[in-house]
Amino acid sequence: MKFEPIARGTYPSLVYPPYKSTVKRGPQQPLLRVNAPAATETPLGFGAAPIQPQDNDLTAHGRAAPLGEKIVVSGRVVDEDGQPVRDSLVEVWQCNSAGRYFHHKDQHDAPLDPNFFGFGKFFTDRDGRYRFVTIKPGPYPWGNHHKAWRPAHIHFSLFGNVLAQRLVTQMYFPNDPLFEFDPIYQSIPDAAARERLRARFSMDETVGDQMLGYAFDIVLRGRGATPFGL
Ligand SMILES: [Fe+2]
């Protein structure tokens, strides 16, 4: 395995002091490019096994409908040339409509919803498309600083053909008043790149009287890439 130095400034710094935990976990040394043995030829072989039919409907796992605003989110995963990224395993996780995660570490004083667990997974299709149904997540406080509230967001993880190609990012909603106060969102230096993390409201994706639709395309590489590592 070879390591080649990467010139400073090639990638935005992952240390952004207003986002306090980046100071401890962000790299302090110059980055190195790792030329690992090529594994990209080998399909990961997830197969369809880990996916159950309702894994793309986060509202379908309780005894009744969860509380909150039901929405559908869809989009395409593409590479720098706009070509579809097919059969990518996409996982999403989020808090409920009151801003609380179904997780023991989240002790935020907001109600849990017994009908909402906040986790979904699905594959992109032959055209790189995905679609899932959920509840619009609420904003939540996270203790980074005085009055630190995260804008509503959904976490995304995407796998390519090998485990090493995992990418993690967050999707936001249009016109959130918390954007300008959020050090995680603001840690992305390029305004156009921040913009690419915002879903668009889509009347085309809206389903009758059931739910509003949002569109969120993900670009894995190139100038128009969706920011990752959040
Ligand atoms: Fe979150």
Side-chain angles (χ1 to χ4, degrees):
M1 200 177 293
K2 291 189 294 184
F3 300 94
E4 293 170 6
I6 297 175
R8 278 192 192 278
T10 304
Y11 297 102
S13 173
L14 292 172
V15 177
Y16 184 73
Y19 176 7
K20 288 181 181 168
S21 56
T22 66
V23 175
K24 289 183 179 169
R25 73 184 186 206
Q28 303 290 336
Q29 302 295 320
L31 301 181
L32 298 172
R33 191 177 304 283
V34 180
N35 290 319
T40 51
E41 302 300 318
T42 311
L44 193 56
F46 281 119
I51 304 292
Q52 301 298 314
Q54 289 189 316
D55 282 350
N56 66 347
D57 186 349
L58 284 71
T59 70
H61 298 276
R63 293 186 177 187
L67 295 172
E69 179 188 342
K70 190 174 183 180
I71 60 171
V72 57
V73 180
S74 68
R76 287 182 80 212
V77 183
V78 298
D79 67 14
E80 66 268 52
D81 300 318
Q83 295 301 307
V85 178
R86 303 181 172 115
D87 302 321
S88 173
L89 175 63
V90 183
E91 295 167 287
V92 292
W93 63 100
Q94 63 169 88
C95 63
N96 67 22
S97 63
R100 185 160 171 187
Y101 284 95
F102 198 91
H103 191 281
H104 67 276
K105 281 195 174 172
D106 188 347
Q107 295 299 317
H108 169 206
D109 184 20
L112 281 171
D113 184 339
N115 294 306
F116 191 77
F117 311 105
F119 181 73
K121 54 187 190 291
F122 36 85
F123 285 105
T124 55
D125 68 11
R126 299 295 300 163
D127 196 31
R129 290 194 178 282
Y130 71 88
R131 182 178 186 277
F132 66 98
V133 171
T134 188
I135 293 294
K136 192 174 182 185
Y140 61 80
W142 62 301
N144 183 74
H145 54 278
H146 182 52
K147 294 200 268 191
W149 285 79
R150 296 291 339 272
H153 60 277
I154 299 177
H155 297 267
F156 276 66
S157 156
L158 298 100
F159 283 107
N161 292 324
V162 295
L163 283 169
Q165 293 175 337
R166 186 183 189 212
L167 297 168
V168 177
T169 191
Q170 298 180 21
M171 182 201 101
Y172 297 88
F173 292 85
N175 306 318
D176 195 312
L178 293 170
F179 286 143
E180 63 180 295
F181 304 102
D182 181 44
I184 296 184
Y185 185 78
Q186 295 296 339
S187 70
I188 300 158
D190 178 23
R194 292 197 293 271
E195 195 80 31
R196 291 195 289 275
L197 292 177
R198 301 184 194 181
R200 277 183 302 109
F201 168 70
S202 168
M203 191 56 93
D204 287 341
E205 298 295 337
T206 293
V207 179
D209 293 345
Q210 298 172 38
M211 50 192 165
L212 297 183
Y214 288 89
F216 181 58
D217 294 328
I218 296 170
V219 181
L220 294 187
R221 289 179 292 276
R223 274 181 192 280
T226 306
F228 290 98
L230 301 165

